[in-house]
Amino acid sequence: MRPTLLNPLFAPVTSLTGIGPKLSIALTRLLRGGGSGSGIEQAVVGDLLFHLPSGLIDRRNQPTIMDAIEGTLSTIKVRVDRHQPAPRGNHRVPYRIYVHDESGEMALVYFRGQSRWLETQYPVGETRFVSGKLEWFNGRANMIHPDYVVSEENFDELPLVEPVYPLVSGVSLKIMHRSIATALQTLPQLPEWIDPSLLAKHHWPSVENALDQVHHPRDDLDISPHSTAWKRLAFDELLAGQLALALVRRKMKKSAGKSWQGDGSKQTKIVDALPFALTGAQQRSVAEILDDMATPDRMLRLLQGDVGSGKTIVALLACAAAIEAGGQTALMAPTEILARQHFATIQPLAETANIRIAVLTGREKGKSREAIYEQLANAEIDLIIGTHALFQTNVVFKNLALGIVDEQHRFGVHQRLALASKGGGADILVMTATPIPRTLVLTFFGDMDVSKLDEKPAERLPIQTNALSMDRLDELIERVRGAVARGEKVYWLCPLVEDSEELPITSAESRYQTLEQLMGQNVGLVHGRMKSVDKDAAMLDFKEGRTRVLVATTVIEVGVDVPDATIMVIEHAERFGLAQLHQLRGRVGRGAQSSTCLLLYKSPLGAIAQDRIKIMRETEDGFRIAEEDLKLRGEGEILGTRQSGTPGFQIAQMEHHAELLEMARDNARLILHEDSELTGPHGDALLHLLYLHSKDEAVRLLRAG
Ligand code: ADP
Ligand code: MG
């Protein structure tokens, strides 16, 4: 199906000369985030082309020997005076070549230098340009292993400006340059898919020129996300994404929805059974959802609400309405812990309202699983709560009215489609706890209708957030002990499950051991590598108070609800992103007691970690935190890693390209409006774009009609 023109770009990197299986593994790790055995497919030529520079090596500085600044890159014009080869058999003494210019003398130093090669490179009496870092030893200038040496005639061969790329071990910069250069040679001439008027308006180059420009920069501007070349490439990526989302949405909308309108009987019973009143935002969101479900169009709605804003109950009320109207409903959570927790919270409420409810995860096996399948097929279950087990083909509903996906952005478009296809025209509600800024909503969800829970349940006390250095661990442990003695509950978060040789970090397992020695039976442990039964047991022990300190990894990041937990300790807080810290902190402050979040860090703190902790202390507003997160990530905190901070993108960076995203969305709309099946010549070019950015799935939807 993929246009043959693109084949060279989808060939494995090993198809390029000079790239063997070993290098391919390293490149795959770099470009796709997976090594051998990770199940990730080998990197392809296109991945190399879209691996954009993160900086420049600048050799334009051409000082004299005496003016060269120690340790900075300099390109110096010198005359070769004499060779001083290393004594035979002694590799510790280097080969030295003495050179001079009008300002003074310098030695070029080669360890294990090949005399024959050096003699041809540096004929005595001739002029050469050498480029490298100059250093001073004992009052003498040295350049150790110059990066380049060229004659005057060949000066053009010296790259005065070279791009730098994010690398991994096994892929040096030289290898990267060579690989990208070879990859560029295989680039076919692609049809232009961007509207000519857009191209002209923004002065965007063609794809070929854009790639050439970013990989052969002349100055910093060429590798900036604000260059016309980079913007063009980012726009391509965003346009492909927006087109794909629009096609998915169209497909979903096409399967005609049904009108589901309840009589309110079950909803009333649930609301009456709640120990609290709904917030205004909850009431408004429920009303929006019910209105949407009542129309014969299919609902595609996003329920956005910060941690603790009370999405679960909104979901349950929407289900109740659908059930009143005679439909079935499904609530899907990303982890088993969450699915079970939802089940536990919802079950008593469902019972009061006569809703038949069941849970389905990987754990239900054999006969009980078969029984659930059968009851779903016969509409004997009204509400099924589960993990992605719900996507499986054996799961057949008699009459699915509403599918709800919780904590969404962990699921991809595929899964959304799978759920949607379960129920003909079932309404879809996607809930997200991570308050994502508007720009990201667009990238992940395209044009969905949005309901917002922008008000927290009343009576929530603010969470006191403090940062303290690891040196004060003993003090902290005392404090936790005191809290436990008063009957409080404490989460203790660690970044890793087990100790690792590479990272000097206390793992959850060893922290558990230390705390257990100090506090005994009060301490529990939960992490992602435990069996799910054991995870549940640990969660339940904590919830019901049999343990009072729960040492955990980020498995508890999303959704876990133990309202009487009051202290959240986050160890190595410097290793977590802002959004994650916010999610984790949201596990406390859910009940009537005041809560504390303690960010334990290893000093000295980097600038970005400092900023993050400051923001965490300043605000609990998830939307503000999400915006700040985006800004901070824009500063490219970990050098040498992929620059694009925006997950799911290779080129586009939301902090720089938000405008492009809006443009891409509008453009995608216009395109599908004018040529809904992408059959014209422009449509054909756009198909190339979709395939180029691996939106094969979306093209299939198009073809399926
Ligand atoms: P999230 O939006 O993070 O999924 P939950 O639905 O888990 O939030 O709700 C968080 C906590 O707030 C739960 O303990 C829930 O019972 C409680 N809660 C929900 N709505 C209200 C409300 N209107 N008033 C008081 N507490 C509420
Ligand atoms: Mg939740």
Side-chain angles (χ1 to χ4, degrees):
M1 280 285 270
R2 180 194 301 136
T4 48
L5 185 64
L6 297 178
N7 285 350
L9 301 179
F10 284 88
V13 285
T14 40
S15 69
L16 299 174
T17 37
I19 301 186
K22 206 167 148 206
L23 179 53
S24 162
I25 290 171
L27 283 171
T28 302
R29 192 150 31 91
L30 175 66
L31 303 170
R32 298 209 151 176
S36 70
S38 62
I40 290 177
E41 276 180 53
Q42 202 187 135
V44 298
V45 174
D47 296 332
L48 267 176
L49 292 178
F50 290 141
H51 190 60
L52 303 191
S54 53
L56 283 186
I57 295 179
D58 191 339
R59 305 185 183 283
R60 284 175 295 184
N61 182 27
Q62 294 186 36
T64 60
I65 292 173
M66 289 302 151
D67 290 341
I69 298 170
E70 172 143 26
T72 62
L73 274 181
S74 309
T75 299
I76 308 181
K77 185 178 176 183
V78 296
R79 182 166 295 243
V80 181
D81 296 329
R82 64 193 164 93
H83 285 237
Q84 188 187 80
R88 248 176 222 290
N90 186 348
H91 286 308
R92 265 186 287 162
V93 178
Y95 190 118
R96 286 196 173 82
I97 299 154
Y98 291 93
V99 299
H100 77 273
D101 68 2
E102 76 271 10
S103 73
E105 197 190 40
M106 157 169 89
L108 308 176
V109 180
Y110 285 87
F111 289 91
R112 293 171 172 271
Q114 300 272 325
S115 332
R116 190 144 348 123
W117 183 78
L118 289 170
E119 276 157 19
T120 54
Q121 292 296 311
Y122 296 101
V124 172
E126 297 213 2
T127 301
R128 287 290 179 268
F129 283 92
V130 289
S131 187
K133 281 185 189 158
L134 190 130
E135 287 167 36
W136 289 85
F137 291 120
N138 302 329
R140 291 163 180 273
N142 291 281
M143 191 181 279
I144 300 170
H145 290 240
D147 303 325
Y148 289 94
V149 47
V150 296
S151 63
E152 276 187 290
E153 306 86 79
N154 293 339
F155 186 71
D156 286 351
E157 288 171 13
L158 200 162
L160 287 179
V161 175
E162 277 181 302
V164 182
Y165 295 89
L167 300 171
V168 287
S169 81
V171 185
S172 67
L173 190 56
K174 275 232 159 99
I175 293 181
M176 200 66 196
H177 284 158
R178 205 185 60 210
S179 307
I180 287 182
T182 338
L184 276 170
Q185 282 165 12
T186 68
L187 184 65
Q189 184 167 5
L190 299 164
E192 184 52 77
W193 43 74
I194 297 184
D195 217 49
S197 61
L198 266 184
L199 274 185
K201 182 168 165 206
H202 300 282
H203 309 287
W204 287 339
S206 68
V207 190
E208 294 86 349
N209 288 342
L211 284 172
D212 190 65
Q213 209 166 310
V214 290
H215 289 302
H216 297 120
R218 283 153 306 160
D219 53 35
D220 292 313
L221 186 65
D222 282 340
I223 56 152
S224 140
H226 297 286
S227 68
T228 50
W230 195 306
K231 277 190 177 164
R232 193 246 138 93
L233 297 172
F235 183 78
D236 279 355
E237 185 177 39
L238 294 167
L239 180 61
Q242 289 299 304
L243 271 175
L245 284 169
L247 291 170
V248 169
R249 178 182 162 83
R250 188 168 80 185
K251 166 79 178 176
M252 284 184 166
K253 285 264 179 192
K254 237 185 208 167
S255 33
K258 275 188 206 158
S259 159
W260 300 98
Q261 203 163 3
D263 59 10
S265 56
K266 290 182 190 296
Q267 296 168 62
T268 316
K269 289 207 178 103
I270 293 170
V271 172
D272 288 348
L274 290 176
F276 48 75
L278 295 181
T279 63
Q282 283 171 320
Q283 287 171 6
R284 181 167 32 78
S285 295
V286 171
E288 285 167 4
I289 294 165
L290 296 195
D291 280 353
D292 212 350
M293 285 169 44
T295 67
D297 285 339
R298 189 170 201 194
M299 174 170 81
L300 286 179
R301 183 172 285 275
L302 182 69
L303 176 63
Q304 207 182 7
D306 200 355
V307 238
S309 59
K311 292 181 292 294
T312 318
I313 188 69
V314 173
L316 178 60
L317 291 171
C319 290
I323 296 164
E324 286 160 12
Q328 289 174 286
T329 57
L331 171 59
M332 194 167 53
T335 64
E336 172 138 22
I337 289 189
L338 265 186
R340 303 242 160 228
Q341 176 187 289
H342 278 325
F343 182 70
T345 327
I346 290 175
Q347 194 177 29
L349 293 168
E351 256 163 36
T352 40
N354 265 328
I355 291 174
R356 294 163 300 176
I357 177 174
V359 64
L360 181 68
T361 67
R363 191 158 1 135
E364 280 64 39
K365 298 236 155 69
K367 282 215 174 108
S368 63
R369 195 174 186 93
E370 296 297 326
I372 291 175
Y373 289 158
E374 213 174 294
Q375 289 168 329
L376 282 174
N378 297 331
E380 287 158 15
I381 293 173
D382 303 313
L383 168 57
I384 181 93
I385 298 179
T387 52
H388 34 269
L390 293 180
F391 293 133
Q392 282 159 357
T393 41
N394 329 22
V395 178
V396 179
F397 292 87
K398 182 161 190 206
N399 196 12
L400 184 65
L402 174 64
I404 302 182
V405 184
D406 191 14
E407 313 292 358
Q408 153 68 32
H409 64 246
R410 299 206 169 180
F411 296 110
V413 171
H414 281 63
Q415 274 116 337
R416 263 175 274 161
L417 275 177
L419 182 69
S421 67
K422 289 278 172 210
D427 288 328
I428 301 285
L429 179 68
V430 167
M431 306 202 287
T432 165
T434 315
I436 29 186
R438 200 187 123 61
T439 46
L440 285 190
V441 173
L442 267 179
T443 55
F444 285 119
F445 306 105
D447 264 341
M448 290 183 100
D449 300 306
V450 178
S451 290
K452 267 191 191 170
L453 291 179
D454 48 12
E455 178 188 352
K456 292 234 172 158
E459 299 160 42
R460 286 278 157 81
L461 297 165
I463 303 170
Q464 172 79 31
T465 302
N466 285 327
L468 63 166
S469 147
M470 236 2 203
D471 312 337
R472 292 168 60 192
L473 183 64
D474 291 344
E475 198 183 311
L476 175 64
I477 292 180
E478 272 319 299
R479 189 161 161 189
V480 165
R481 239 204 246 250
V484 168
R486 287 191 302 276
E488 296 185 32
K489 287 184 188 169
V490 181
Y491 289 105
W492 191 301
L493 240 288
C494 298
L496 298 181
V497 177
E498 292 167 13
D499 284 341
S500 131
E501 282 178 10
E502 285 153 43
L503 297 168
I505 288 178
T506 315
S507 66
E509 281 180 346
S510 52
R511 181 57 70 218
Y512 168 72
Q513 281 162 12
T514 1
L515 293 179
E516 201 200 20
Q517 270 170 15
L518 290 167
M519 290 184 230
Q521 309 240 303
N522 272 327
V523 185
L525 172 68
V526 64
H527 60 67
R529 292 212 205 130
M530 284 162 56
K531 284 212 198 100
S532 45
V533 218
D534 298 334
K535 270 191 251 177
D536 287 358
M539 288 309 302
L540 202 65
D541 282 345
F542 185 60
K543 192 155 190 152
E544 296 183 349
R546 286 183 292 278
T547 54
R548 302 238 151 232
V549 178
L550 184 63
V551 179
T553 56
T554 51
V555 283
I556 65 152
E557 178 186 339
V558 284
V560 166
D561 190 35
V562 179
D564 59 348
T566 51
I567 299 182
M568 164 66 69
V569 177
I570 305 178
E571 201 164 330
H572 288 286
E574 76 278 0
R575 301 190 71 89
F576 293 97
L578 255 185
Q580 217 175 5
L581 288 174
H582 177 64
Q583 280 290 325
L584 290 169
R585 177 171 61 183
R587 300 304 117 216
V588 296
R590 302 184 144 234
Q593 279 174 288
S594 69
S595 304
T596 324
C597 174
L598 297 163
L599 304 173
L600 199 52
Y601 63 85
K602 185 159 188 182
S603 46
L605 268 186
I608 299 223
Q610 262 174 35
D611 281 350
R612 279 204 208 113
I613 288 178
K614 179 163 160 274
I615 294 161
M616 284 294 290
R617 297 201 54 185
E618 267 170 27
T619 182
E620 273 185 64
D621 175 352
F623 284 88
R624 176 158 170 234
I625 287 178
E627 304 277 357
E628 297 282 353
D629 193 26
L630 217 52
K631 269 193 233 154
L632 284 184
R633 281 200 233 170
E635 293 168 20
E637 64 162 326
I638 318 164
L639 283 173
T641 60
R642 190 165 283 272
Q643 242 197 347
S644 56
T646 311
F649 291 88
Q650 284 179 293
I651 302 165
Q653 301 178 7
M654 280 323 124
E655 60 277 17
H656 299 300
H657 300 135
E659 254 167 73
L660 291 180
L661 176 61
E662 307 251 345
M663 273 169 56
R665 184 204 43 187
D666 295 345
N667 196 227
R669 256 195 216 152
L670 184 73
I671 288 166
L672 291 178
H673 179 72
E674 289 178 347
D675 180 8
S676 66
E677 303 302 318
L678 300 184
T679 43
H682 184 201
D684 183 61
L686 285 160
L687 287 179
H688 283 77
L689 171 69
L690 285 169
Y691 278 112
L692 182 63
H693 286 282
S694 302
K695 306 292 180 197
D696 305 28
E697 198 77 10
V699 183
R700 220 165 290 145
L701 285 180
L702 193 65
R703 292 292 166 256

